[in-house]
């Protein structure tokens, strides 16, 4: 699957959660110039989880942090945070929010495209990192299954570890399955499963 380019923003959908009319006008104008569609939302309450957007531009100063934890404002899309207040409590809330990028207020006409590129790239990297971690965790679980299956085959056939693993590998290749899948079947069956019906 081709990795989407963070530089390509035309046609993407942005949700702005802002209160200041001047900032709203600047962001809307820049996003429209970049070919993005813009939807606006009142910062008095979090938007619904069903919002079909690609990125959120959130004025962090507009959100009542005492009443709303950052997790309520966390979505499965990158967030660009607009920051004007640098108090410890506000910054703590922002760290919990984990924005993909940010802009310092007062806003200017420049800088939004850079924030978009950084946000889309950071979001894609998070997705790739999460997939990599999930793959590693799956491998760890698989190794436990393989180890348990090798022990079973060693006991059942009086083989050494190397020969037991070789038998499992050869059987898996012969029946066109993965070692992990065959090992799971060995654990479930309590020994080498009957695969006579499979194509050799």
């Amino acid at each position: 699957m081709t990795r989407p380019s963070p530089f390509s923003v035309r046609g993407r959908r942005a949700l702005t959660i802002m209160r200041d009319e001047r900032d709203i006008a600047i962001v809307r104008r820049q996003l429209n110039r970049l070919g993005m569609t813009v939807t606006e939302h009142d910062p008095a309450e979090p938007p619904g989880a069903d919002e079909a957007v690609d990125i959120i531009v959130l004025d962090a100063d507009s959100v009542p942090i005492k009443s709303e934890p950052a997790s309520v404002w966390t979505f499965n899309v990158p967030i660009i945070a607009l920051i004007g207040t640098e108090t410890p409590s506000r910054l703590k809330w922002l760290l919990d929010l984990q924005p993909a990028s940010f802009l310092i207020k007062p806003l200017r006409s420049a800088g939004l495209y850079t924030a978009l590129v950084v946000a889309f790239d950071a979001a894609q990297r998070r997705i790739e990192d999460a997939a990599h971690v999930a793959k590693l965790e799956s491998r760890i679980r698989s190794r436990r299954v393989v180890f348990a299956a090798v022990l079973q085959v060693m006991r059942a056939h009086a083989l050494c570890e190397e020969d037991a693993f070789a038998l499992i590998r050869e059987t898996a290749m012969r029946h066109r399955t993965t070692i992990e899948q065959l090992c799971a079947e060995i654990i479930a069956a309590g020994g080498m499963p009957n695969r006579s019906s499979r194509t050799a």
Side-chain angles (χ1 to χ4, degrees), residues 152 156 185-192:
Q152 273 196 17
E185 292 181 24
I186 291 170
I187 300 273
M192 291 294 272

Side-chain angles (χ1 to χ4, degrees), residues 170-177 195-200:
E170 290 163 9
T171 304
M173 289 174 64
R174 188 166 63 252
H175 295 289
R176 297 190 182 125
T177 188
R195 286 174 160 265
S196 58
S197 59
R198 293 245 182 152
T199 304

